[in-house]
Amino acid sequence: MQKKYLQSQFETQQYKNQANLVYMGTVVLGFILSIFTFFYIGSIFISSVNLVGSIVSLLSIYLNKSGKYAFSSLLYLGYITFSTTVHTIVFGLTAGFQYYFFNLSGLIMFTNWSKSQKLMGAIIQGVLFISLFFYSINSTPLIELNYSLTI
């Protein structure tokens, strides 16, 4: 009996730590560094979307530490989905933000949601990816990036 309890505690702690690493990585690498990049290219709107994303990621860490794992991952994945959708609409397909949907689908599979909730989340990601793809190939991006400094 105690072995099962200890195993459950270990798995819960492991899930919590791994989720916090993902959330913190998003705060540091995904948002804070990109806030300055998007501000530099003149997109205050996208910078503010990323700033709100940092706040949502920090809130997800707090909720995760409070034991609200499912809500924490729903909030995080929902906002990253929103952010990815906005980035794809604003920058188009050439910036590559649409590929975040593949990563998000993978993250959904590692949540502690029920199987039907995971399936629904993956379906939503797939529908958004396909919809944004067709939208983006039929319209010009709101901001066209200059690739003159790339290698």
Side-chain angles (χ1 to χ4, degrees):
M1 178 73 172
Q2 182 150 355
K3 186 177 180 182
K4 270 189 165 181
Y5 175 75
L6 291 174
Q7 179 69 25
S8 172
Q9 288 295 99
F10 174 76
E11 289 174 359
T12 301
Q13 187 65 34
Q14 185 179 21
Y15 173 80
K16 178 178 160 182
N17 291 339
Q18 289 172 346
N20 283 342
L21 283 173
V22 170
Y23 302 153
M24 192 53 93
T26 302
V27 170
V28 174
L29 296 175
F31 286 118
I32 291 178
L33 294 176
S34 64
I35 288 170
F36 299 112
T37 303
F38 292 126
F39 185 77
Y40 177 74
I41 65 170
S43 181
I44 305 299
F45 173 69
I46 296 296
S47 292
S48 62
V49 167
N50 288 350
L51 180 63
V52 171
S54 294
I55 294 167
V56 167
S57 295
L58 291 172
L59 181 61
S60 294
I61 291 171
Y62 172 76
L63 290 169
N64 205 22
K65 287 184 178 185
S66 300
K68 298 176 176 143
Y69 308 117
F71 182 64
S72 172
S73 50
L74 175 67
L75 179 68
Y76 175 78
L77 292 169
Y79 192 80
I80 298 299
T81 300
F82 167 75
S83 175
T84 301
T85 302
V86 169
H87 284 85
T88 304
I89 290 170
V90 170
F91 296 113
L93 295 176
T94 57
F97 286 105
Q98 71 275 12
Y99 297 115
Y100 274 78
F101 288 112
F102 296 123
N103 294 334
L104 290 169
S105 294
L107 284 175
I108 287 171
M109 295 306 138
F110 291 107
T111 62
N112 60 352
W113 300 348
S114 69
K115 289 182 181 184
S116 61
Q117 291 170 329
K118 289 179 183 182
L119 178 62
M120 183 61 70
I123 289 171
I124 289 170
Q125 296 295 318
V127 167
L128 277 172
F129 174 78
I130 292 167
S131 301
L132 282 171
F133 178 79
F134 284 114
Y135 169 81
S136 296
I137 61 172
N138 293 318
S139 63
T140 57
L142 301 175
I143 297 176
E144 298 215 19
L145 298 174
N146 181 359
Y147 294 103
S148 63
L149 297 177
T150 60
I151 297 175

